[in-house]
Amino acid sequence: QVQLVESGGGLVQAGGSLRLSCAASGRTFGTYRMGWFRQRPGKEREFVGNIRWSGGSTSYSDSVKGRFTISRDSAKNMVYLEMNSLKPEDTAVYYCASGTALRWDYWGQGTQVTVSS
């Protein structure tokens, strides 16, 4: 059974940084992608970025490009979202997901990030 567990959320001032972690288990992740999504208050869930487990190539949404970085530690089955220069509009519940180019089929429970102005 695939499990994704996020951690690292919290309250931070605008301009600050946070690093989210996602502990992944239950499948051989090498052929999959790992993604980060977020759901801001009153908004639908949106794509933040993803990383290919094999090779480590990444892609990001325009809203976070240059500020957020996704990485993975294959030995530990961990995926990270390093968030810098945080803005109040980054306030959201952040989710880790596992899937393919066609669909995201497993999700974590989410972790709250709040950025104060």
Side-chain angles (χ1 to χ4, degrees):
Q1 181 178 353
V2 176
Q3 285 192 318
L4 304 174
V5 181
E6 302 96 335
S7 61
L11 174 64
V12 63
Q13 287 189 330
S17 300
L18 273 178
R19 188 177 81 155
L20 305 184
S21 300
C22 174
S25 62
R27 80 183 346 172
T28 302
F29 290 93
T31 60
Y32 293 92
R33 301 174 186 226
M34 298 296 294
W36 285 97
F37 293 75
R38 68 185 181 186
Q39 187 162 17
R40 293 186 276 187
K43 305 286 187 180
E44 293 188 353
R45 191 176 298 186
E46 62 178 347
F47 173 79
V48 172
N50 69 6
I51 186 167
R52 292 190 179 192
W53 204 277
S54 177
S57 62
T58 55
S59 63
Y60 301 93
S61 67
D62 288 343
S63 61
V64 307
K65 197 174 294 182
R67 299 188 298 124
F68 290 12
T69 302
I70 298 174
S71 61
R72 87 274 189 251
D73 184 331
S74 299
K76 296 180 179 179
N77 270 8
M78 295 289 295
V79 179
Y80 305 100
L81 178 65
E82 184 76 35
M83 304 185 293
N84 298 312
S85 302
L86 283 161
K87 306 174 182 179
E89 52 264 43
D90 293 318
T91 293
V93 178
Y94 284 75
Y95 298 90
C96 174
S98 174
T100 67
L102 295 179
R103 70 186 186 114
W104 299 97
D105 50 2
Y106 291 98
W107 296 83
Q109 83 288 350
T111 185
Q112 175 71 46
V113 172
T114 302
V115 184
S116 63
S117 57

